[in-house]
Amino acid sequence: MVGSIMVVGGGIAGMQASLDLADSGFRVYLVDKAPTIGGVMAQLDKTFPTLDCSMCIMAPKLVATGRHHNIHLLTNAVITNVEGTPGNFTVTVTMKPRYVNAEKCTGCGLCAQYCPVEAVNEYDERLTLRRGIYVDYPQAVPLVYAIDREKCIGCGLCENICQAEAIEYHQTPEEEQVNVGAIILAAGFDEFEPDTKKEYGYGRFKNVVTATEFERILSASGPFAGHVVRPSDGEVPGRIAFLQCVGSRDENSNKYCSAVCCMYATKEAIIAKEHNPDLEATIFFMDMRTYGKGFEQFYKRAQSEYGLRYTRSRVPCIEADPETQNLLLTYETEDGTITKEEFDMVVLSVGLEPPKSNQELSSIFGVPLNEYGFLDWKIFEPLKAKDGIYACGAFSGPKDIPDTVAQASGAAAMASGVVSGERGTLVEEKVYPEELDVAEQPPRIGVFVCWCGINIGGIVNVPEVMEYASTLPNVVFVDQNLYTCSQDTQEKIKQAVEEHSLNRVVVASCTPRTHEPLFQSTIREAGLNPYLFEMTNIRDQCSWVHMHTPEEATEKAKDLVRMAVAKSNLLEPLKSSSVEVTQSGLVIGGGIAGMTAALGLAQQGFTVHLVEKEDHLGGLLRDIRYTVSGEDPQEYLTGLEQSLRDHPNVTIHTQAVVEKVEGYVGNFTTTLSSGEEINHGICVIAVGGQEHKPTSYLYGEDKRVITQLEFEDMLSKGVKAKTVVMINCVESRDDTKEYCSRVCCSEAVKNALQLREQNPDATIYILYRDMRTYAFREQYYDKAREAGVVFMRYDPETKPRLEKKDKSLVLYAHDSALDLDFELHPDLVVLSTGVSPYDNSALSQMLKVPLDRDGFFLEAHMKLRPVDFATDGVFMAGLAHSPKFIDETISQAFGTVARACTIVSKERIETEPIIAEVDEELCCGCQVCIPMCPYNARELDEEEKIVKVNEVLCKGCGSCVAACPSKAAQQRHFRDSQLSSMIEAFVRR
Amino acid sequence: MTFSPRIVGFMCNWCSYAGADLAGISRIKYAPNLRIIRVLCSGRVDPYVVLTAFQKGADGVLVAGCHPGDCHYISGNYQAEKKMKATWKILSKAGIDQERLGLEWISAAEGQRFADVVNSFTQLITELGPLQADPQKIASAKEETADFRIRWLVGREKDLLEEGNVFGEPVEEAVFETLLDDVVSAQYIRNSILTVLKEQSMSAKELAETLEIPSHVVVEHLIHLRRGQKVHMVEGHPIRYEVSAW
Amino acid sequence: MYEPKIIGFLCNWCSYAAADLAGTSRIQYPSNMRAIRVMCSSRVDPEHVLRAFVNGADGVLIAGCHPGDCHYISGNYKTERKYVLLREMLEQFGIDPRRLRLEWCSSAEGGKFAQVVTEMTEELKTLGPIELGAGD
């Protein structure tokens, strides 16, 4: 068994899996075929449904992945061979040469500025040019340039230009054998290439673009600086059409639904509209599949607030006016009218395809692919490719970012489960010398000014800045370096600290966002506390942006150095304190989510308490009789329950509810209704949900009107009914429940197919609003249509009406697709009523975690922290989060295991050093700071009547400090005195 | 009145200038249109200077150096050839007949050849008539001869083609030519855009009309110029582009 | 030529990153601003702003993440509320509230950051040097 894990693919899935693994005691090899990690998410402008800036939310993960001492990045690399067995694989990785020494390259970009070769920029979807030597984007990790050998003619200019001497033309492919215990495949997806669909003229018509191209057009860092303009002539388009299902739900390309396009098109249209309020945006679609958490509300807002026009039609072809380059769309609306409409621009919502390397990956790893070329997986094992090899993200089928991230954590849990016994064996901790006590010493400051080759020194007069720095109070040493970040300079800094007894170090160079940790580590090696370091940015925010005014840039650099020196006088050594962790978990809810999470934690070697309010385990899964793909849920449930009961780490508490929760991450104490007290370090909320019980359509009044779950139970016993009508979206997507319950369309299809099998003569109707059989579930929708199930679409304005006439049921329906009225005489009416949350308010208050407006639990971040809460140490999975399928619930449940392991795998957790504190002398107990904290880290001490900070929960934003009226609150490293010192030093005196 | 062209000749000190002297000593008559500027080596003739000559009113420019292999500075004449080849590309972009720039090898012993070359070149330029190029186009072309990328590539051409590249691989002439053509074309359009925008800000569409190039090509180059901080976008309908002040 | 002096409080996650991106994209803007990095825009205390003016700043810029994008969930909303109060306060002190700006810059908006600094510099030039207690 080997305590390391390989992750293949460095997109958001790969990064999340790597971070979870590395944070819970495993060494990670993250392999990406591209020279940098980041994947597709790095290209996106904003993310749905919150419209967060994609790069803003992703960049911290990028940096964390790049910087993590237990994540070993293998970029520009492909896997050529895999041998061995679960627990001990040997993987051969071939690293293509990048012709740039990764250790020496500073990422300054001078080479690319001069390179004579231009090539299309794939990162910008070919809308811009890059050079023959390049990085994909400025925030790239690793920030190391690479030579594109396809384009490079080998002229040798970059070698002449590079002051860091990083160019190495002699590099050859390198092979590395990596020993790992398990493997995670997170190879992502490729986009459908629309040039094969000639009828849309992509490639021929400049104003027909793909959705990803449009994403770059919308981006502030894209080709048009975020202005929405069209490529043919740079004009602002007044009318944009979005065509859905290009390369999805299509006999001629991909039959499956790509699951994300309805949402991304809506998002893009909204953003475009925000750029240009006069824009007329039309989305041509077949079914609007806004099935995820918060998606339906987003779709409604798109119509009511932004006035997007949704037209239900599949546009067959596009013509272009050669004169204006405008696009003519001829389409048939549902009522049969043919309409011809002109647009200025068309965006093709292209689908997701398996990555082009899928066959190769499949044969190297020996993992099966499904008929579409994605990974083949089973409903109860959604993350498993084969023993020891797991998968997450779009590699196993189209999915959105939150599902991807939940799966990534889930795959991390499964992979580490294989080698959980080896936890901590291969991680490296850097050992630093003992810290010098400088608290009583007067400040002795050393200032290092960087040339950054010519990046700073070419504009800013570095020697002058250095000279100036030497005149500042308490500065006892100054130096200038060609590259302050180079390895030899680190030695110079350490030497200077020792020789000149420096107790504060200031570096004036690039951005602390990437380089502060390096210098902090350097002074730690010299025996100084890392917080006795201050950095000021005279490159990114000075020399690079004031290139034409070198004298002013020099003055600014001096000011910035003076301000940094002023603050450094007041720097204090900071230590993170640590608290002990109770290395066990509490899982609330004994359904499939809770059972999976509990068993997962137990298999990782931690004790778990599983609390269930009923007298049996299983939750809602007990009511699921069969799956659409033929598995037996009850058999699975029995097996799972047995594994739980057999596992020595698991304690099951049935007929128990949580009465009281005290404590915080690492140290919770929970009291159950039985009176039992449980100490635990983390908590997983898996309380599930229930089938909504309707009040309409004679439900409860007539026995022939039932819900889908009731019908499923009936099917398991045999159904004789001749005419069955199913009505979807009953008390869903309306005023009763605004959200879409995600599963009902597929459940209706499943039950219809089951009935058809039992009773080939039955007439089955499914009355629906949009068929939301997303991703591979589309195949069952196809199958049901082929099996003669009649699908009839209704609009909410003309809902079906059910009446009882002389004991028989009459259903009046208006088929909105055909614009015809029907009268049906069903023997049985089955209502798809969706999922409702339980009343979660008590638990929400006890654990101090929020609910959304629908009553489900609200995660820390919709996109990137789908199973976390803002409150550390509390996680969730399953229907407690939102309606979802079994496989999705299992993925999430495993996701909580990995997230929980980042805490319970540690004996102690360290607090952030930069956090808030309270001066107890000054605090008057007014509590104005308490609601300021989004992390519940501030609490009133009832006895002392002052507010105290929970150091474990505080994230160090400083919001409370700026609110405190009595100056009792302070933020370490950003104290009022420290900030004021900078403000006071702002003007040269 | 018959047209009498103005021709500037750049003659290298060691061969062609000596050839001209020999023609004189030998009292060989030739057309009087040529004004010679002596340079030490034909390799010194900067494309920028050639364009300056055209800009200042020359109808033709004749560059002459030592015969291949005879260069006083070993390989200066080869470099001259590369430079003039690139200049021909640039001239054609600006709508100037390439033939208006002549390149000849004349040894110190070839007084007669010197006269013949001058005569035939004068004849040629006379037939071509006065240079009537658009001053804006000449300005753009001249700007281009100063372009870093082009100068670097031209300067490296000989070594790359003869000795191979930094990866130790041979560089095919066709590949290099294509690259140079691409660079010259792209740079010319960018310079043209900048020349026009210096006069007044314009939308991409207006630029396309002014420069008579397809609007999507203008858009592509505007993207590049904006990224390089040469121009910036001005909000409005339509979005216009302005030359950046910096 | 009068050159206004600006202090910029930039949040670590979005606007400081935007300023970095302006740099990596080599977007040029006037050199009048000096940045002070804070973890979150909500850390900026009204007192810091006043202190900046007292210490010779002609303008103060507070820049944070876009609403909804805050790294600390809701810090920037608090900043916004404080900003409204601060502007009123400045008026009471006789300081033109245009001297204080609150802007949202995402880490992808290097161009916007440069534009904000440029515009602010221009505006402060028209306002002229600050004269505390003299009706400004």
Side-chain angles (χ1 to χ4, degrees), chain A residues 747-814:
Chain A
E747 288 299 295
V749 165
K750 178 185 89 174
N751 288 342
L753 284 169
Q754 189 69 19
L755 174 61
R756 165 63 74 243
E757 207 170 285
Q758 280 186 16
N759 193 348
D761 300 328
T763 312
I764 311 166
Y765 294 91
I766 296 182
L767 275 53
Y768 70 98
R769 285 175 57 189
D770 290 279
M771 279 310 288
R772 295 185 167 176
T773 47
Y774 62 93
F776 304 144
R777 294 168 186 89
E778 182 74 3
Q779 61 182 308
Y780 302 107
Y781 177 31
D782 285 343
K783 203 171 154 191
R785 283 203 313 266
E786 282 160 23
V789 176
V790 181
F791 287 86
M792 198 184 279
R793 195 178 69 73
Y794 73 89
D795 280 325
E797 299 78 37
T798 50
K799 266 191 202 167
R801 272 185 308 115
L802 184 64
E803 284 180 16
K804 202 162 156 183
K805 272 192 180 167
D806 308 330
K807 292 195 175 170
S808 57
L809 292 172
V810 186
L811 189 98
Y812 301 96
H814 181 80

Side-chain angles (χ1 to χ4, degrees), chain A residues 332-344:
Chain A
E332 186 180 352
T333 41
E334 280 187 304
D335 57 8
T337 20
I338 308 268
T339 310
K340 202 166 192 151
E341 200 177 340
E342 194 180 68
F343 290 91
D344 302 313

Side-chain angles (χ1 to χ4, degrees), chain A residues 901-921:
Chain A
C901 281
T902 63
I903 296 165
V904 291
S905 65
K906 301 183 176 82
E907 286 174 13
R908 306 185 72 84
I909 37 175
E910 296 214 338
T911 61
E912 290 276 334
I914 300 177
I915 51 172
E917 61 182 25
V918 178
D919 184 332
E920 299 186 359
E921 299 288 305

Side-chain angles (χ1 to χ4, degrees), chain A residues 320-563:
Chain A
D321 179 336
E323 197 57 39
T324 61
Q325 295 285 314
N326 288 349
L327 302 157
L328 292 170
L329 272 59
T330 311
Y331 60 92
E332 186 180 352
T333 41
E334 280 187 304
D335 57 8
T337 20
I338 308 268
T339 310
K340 202 166 192 151
E341 200 177 340
E342 194 180 68
F343 290 91
D344 302 313
M345 194 170 176
V346 170
V347 179
L348 303 178
S349 294
V350 289
L352 276 51
E353 290 191 339
K356 286 179 188 62
S357 55
N358 64 336
Q359 295 292 350
E360 203 183 322
L361 289 169
S362 159
S363 66
I364 289 173
F365 290 100
V367 297
L369 300 179
N370 67 13
E371 56 181 302
Y372 311 118
F374 289 96
L375 181 84
D376 198 20
W377 46 270
K378 302 281 171 281
I379 190 160
F380 293 112
E381 291 186 317
L383 302 167
K384 187 171 163 184
K386 71 183 223 187
D387 282 337
I389 302 184
Y390 305 91
C392 57
F395 186 62
S396 52
K399 59 180 66 70
D400 61 13
I401 295 171
D403 286 359
T404 294
V405 172
Q407 279 208 331
S409 292
M414 298 208 74
S416 56
V418 176
V419 288
S420 60
E422 302 298 314
R423 189 189 306 279
T425 52
L426 289 179
V427 294
E428 286 165 18
E429 287 298 335
K430 202 163 177 181
V431 184
Y432 293 100
E434 199 170 328
E435 237 170 71
L436 303 167
D437 180 13
V438 299
E440 301 304 314
Q441 296 173 3
R444 291 180 60 82
I445 304 169
V447 179
F448 297 82
V449 188
C450 187
W451 276 74
C452 194
I454 57 168
N455 285 292
I456 295 171
I459 310 288
V460 169
N461 187 331
V462 171
E464 198 180 308
V465 174
M466 185 188 73
E467 276 306 308
Y468 173 71
S470 70
T471 67
L472 295 169
N474 299 327
V475 172
V476 295
F477 179 80
V478 289
D479 198 2
Q480 53 184 330
N481 320 98
L482 184 60
Y483 286 106
T484 310
C485 57
S486 70
Q487 199 46 52
D488 55 321
T489 308
Q490 305 317 300
E491 294 306 316
K492 275 172 73 183
I493 294 175
K494 276 191 266 179
Q495 220 177 329
V497 170
E498 278 153 31
E499 279 174 19
H500 301 272
S501 308
L502 303 179
N503 53 25
R504 305 284 191 284
V505 172
V506 172
V507 168
S509 61
C510 52
T511 177
R513 291 174 53 253
T514 54
H515 279 68
E516 194 174 44
L518 169 73
F519 299 124
Q520 285 184 319
S521 170
T522 301
I523 69 164
R524 274 185 90 175
E525 284 169 25
L528 290 180
N529 180 283
Y531 293 92
L532 296 171
F533 174 77
E534 185 63 21
M535 192 165 173
T536 192
N537 190 341
I538 60 167
R539 187 188 73 176
D540 309 50
Q541 299 187 11
C542 189
S543 69
W544 274 351
V545 290
H546 312 310
M547 290 169 126
H548 307 285
T549 50
E551 280 168 22
E552 287 162 25
T554 303
E555 281 314 303
K556 178 169 172 176
K558 288 185 200 167
D559 288 356
L560 290 171
V561 168
R562 185 175 61 243
M563 289 161 79

